[in-house]
Amino acid sequence: MLPIPLTLPTPLALPTPRSRTKTVLRIVAHACAWAMAMAIAIAMAVAATQLPASPKSPAPPKPSAPPPPAGSEVVMMDAFEVSAAKHQWRYAQSPHFEILSSVNDVKLVTQIIRRAGQIIDTFQKGCALFRPKHNRPVRLIFINDGGIERFLTFTGKDALQTARDRPPVGVIESSRRKGHVRQISARGYHDDEQIILLKLIPQKYLDGATPFDERVRENALDLAINYLLVCADTHIRPGDAPWLASTLNSMRGHSAGGAPWRLPDNFESPAYGLAGDVFARPAWFTINDEHMSVGRYCLACETRTYRGAGDFPRGESEEAIVAQKKTWGEFLPSPRAGLRAALEQPVTLTHSKKNTTALVGHELCKQREALDFVYYCVFNADPKIRAAFAKFATNPGRQPPDEKLFERCFGADYETFHEKIYAFYRGLARNGGGGNSDYKNNPWGPPAITVAKYSNKDIPKPVLFRNAKRSETSLIVSDWFALCKAGELARQTLIKAGKESEQARTDPEIAAALALAEVSPDAKGDKLKALAMLEWVAAEGKTTRPRVYCTLSRMLLEEIFEMKGRDYRLAASDVRGVIGPLITALKLPGPPPRVYVQFASVWKHTDIKPPGEYLEIIVSGCRRFPGEMELLEEAIPLLAANGHQAAARQLEALRDDL
């Protein structure tokens, strides 16, 4: 039996004699494609220099193409040319982002990135959930009005504001003064390899009356929230932790300042012994160069929601006043919903006259307690609590989130941990941490807390923009299209870059991205060309994208089966050829689960026994991704059949939990 080395074999030396001719043809096809693109570009450039100038009869302008119909895969190249003319792309890098911007207000964009980075840093120090699961940098695209059609309309992503981007019920945004224009929330998408965010800043917003500092604050906060949400999405199964998104979006509530707020008429509550009936609203979120504070609750927001209930007593009669005082006395007197309700029963409250005060009060109580749970865990000084929170949110056993899982993560039941949370918040109020003596004896503690204090070294440095290279713009833009399931737009973007730019044409990352676009189910690509390019990129070894090597391995395996039939058992040379790219992918930083799945699945197509070190690689992948059912299904029978019964039994127990 031939040993299979861990070192990467040379891809072009791997094929069997029958496939060697095909490989040569693929390489020739690939070289010809790039040579033809170069020839076209050169010919166009030469022709442009030889055209005679004619001031009396200038060439008519090229008409712009209409946008494609909904659902069409036809790519209007004229539209690409028009879009390119509208954008002067600038490029920068920050600790969190690889940035592409066509917004002319460079100062605003720079300050948004700087402040967003400060917010992100604060959350990431407290919780691993807010760090990207991928090792590729998060891409960030700023566009102006000129990019709406290309980036949003053509990709079907023009529904800009969604429920995910709004504060929960019981949290009210700042009211808009005359001339102020609402900022547009960022869009964020991800797959198992990368995250891309897109932020539109329209000219109408830039021409509005919003002060510069407020523009920086609201756009930085929106960008940071969407970054944190999409990072969490890479770790958490959809639907497992709705309270996390609700907590982050509560920061979109109103800021401090504005007209003093007045307590509702006949408001009487043993919990809220306020010194007067007029006071300033606490901010839901505050950040500057000295500190960051978050709001936990706001009486102004919540009493407004509470009064909207259909059975709230109305009127000015003596009977109505007595009823109002009684009803206000029952308004959120203490944290009594409990963590079971807060974490297992998502808040579904909407503004409706059918709501009762009992329902509204209970839902607002759940919302407060879920928010308090998140902030207590994320910003806790104890790293064990922060780690337990991340484990609970990611739900490694994939069981429904319940008290059993909670006890496994935190080592305490709901009631015990609930008491611990509110002992902490009440302690803040008694020790002056709330900044307001009105809340000293409140069962909830202060309405806002400071979660971070900064020194000069904590403030991110401004990013430095430069003119973007064509390869940079093409890669980031094409990846946006790919994540939006607009594979043909991604493919045409890369082809156009290769035709028009020598720098893009010789970039291995462009070739890698184009090869992936050629095999995208959303594109009209050429698999032969894709395989040739993938082999070339793998041989060069100049890409760090695991997907490139996974795709190459899969295509090589498919080619063998096309030639020899689905029942063919892989020979040693076949196995070396198929797993070679996967071994390279496994050596890259943070390979995704798909690499391990493919690596394990190869062995069911051969009679060759996998070496022990290969089985250990598969086991390590299962431990790293304990919730990946597909990986477990591939790994367990392979391990059991090859002398690793103990590991197989452990993984079976994990699979049963799933």
Side-chain angles (χ1 to χ4, degrees), residues 488-503:
E488 185 62 16
L489 288 175
R491 177 174 169 269
Q492 292 292 348
T493 298
L494 294 163
I495 290 174
K496 191 168 188 288
K499 288 180 178 179
E500 296 180 351
S501 166
E502 170 71 19
Q503 186 266 330

Side-chain angles (χ1 to χ4, degrees), residues 453-468:
K453 293 184 178 181
Y454 304 116
S455 62
N456 290 337
K457 64 181 178 61
D458 298 315
I459 309 301
K461 295 180 180 179
V463 297
L464 299 176
F465 278 98
R466 59 166 170 77
N467 289 336

